[in-house]
Amino acid sequence: MAKIALTIAGSDSGGGAGIQADLKAMSALGVYGASVITAVTAQNTQAVTAVHGIPLAVVTAQIEAVLSDLDVGAIKIGMLATPDIIQTVAEALAGFEGPIVLDPVMIAKSGDALLAVEAIATLRNVLLPRATVLTPNLPEAACLLDQPVATSADDLVAQGHALVDLGAQAVLMKGGHAEGEICHDILISERGVIAEFTAPRRQTANTHGTGCTLSSSISAGLANGLPLKDAVGQAHTYLQGAIAAADDLGVGHGHGPVHHFHRVWQA
């Protein structure tokens, strides 16, 4: 039987991020992807021009429909937009006992906001404690902690531990927004630093959807039964390949998407 992962996130009409990126990544890693749409965005590689939240009852109905029929092995949660949607998702997942990957989506690659300011506290208090692993970039981690953005390795690790103290079982601190020729992602739990994943920092503008892709790839690994460290390692390797092939796609005129199917077909 197919292993199944569920993404609960917003829709990106440009296809580079959100549930579109999630389903592509899950499929590329050999996992059947199901989806719950929390918001519809009018979005391309240059801007988010409109956001429409899905009615709360419909969000709940989607989650109940999937979980009542499909044997979901792991869930990735992305864009939630408002406090009410966050609360609705948390309540609908109350009976789910599998791993949850929480990507605290706040800002699109274009710079447009995807999470209301008043929703940050709800995300921190209601959903963060449910996370098997939280996957913030450095600005998102700082926002959740109400601290300055980490500028050193020590600050990065300290903020990771602070997020674990807020209830997440583990935190993957992503170093994509840091400086330097090498990008460092650090996986932290209450036991300390579990692993560090490094890669050369690639000079490309085509990184739309990297956060969505990484978190959904981790959920795919967890759905396949991998331990967290191995799931993150597999996702990291896959994403680096997708970024390396991104320039070949030539999609859009702004921040283009990564190449989710770089292992299957060449642009």
Side-chain angles (χ1 to χ4, degrees), residues 24-45:
K24 290 173 186 177
M26 291 170 179
S27 297
L29 292 173
V31 171
Y32 181 91
S35 64
V36 168
I37 300 175
T38 58
V40 174
T41 70
Q43 183 176 173
N44 54 30
T45 65

Side-chain angles (χ1 to χ4, degrees), residues 210-249:
T210 49
C212 303
T213 299
L214 181 63
S215 56
S216 56
S217 299
I218 295 171
S219 72
L222 294 173
N224 260 326
L226 293 180
L228 178 60
K229 178 181 175 181
D230 295 342
V232 174
Q234 173 185 263
H236 182 268
T237 299
Y238 165 73
L239 177 60
Q240 291 307 311
I243 294 173
D247 288 354
D248 296 333
L249 284 178

Side-chain angles (χ1 to χ4, degrees), residues 4 12 15 26 29 39 53 111 127 179 181 194 196 210 212 225 236 258:
I4 302 172
D12 172 4
M26 291 170 179
L29 292 173
L127 268 185
E179 301 293 330
E181 296 183 356
I194 298 174
E196 182 175 352
T210 49
C212 303
H236 182 268
V258 301

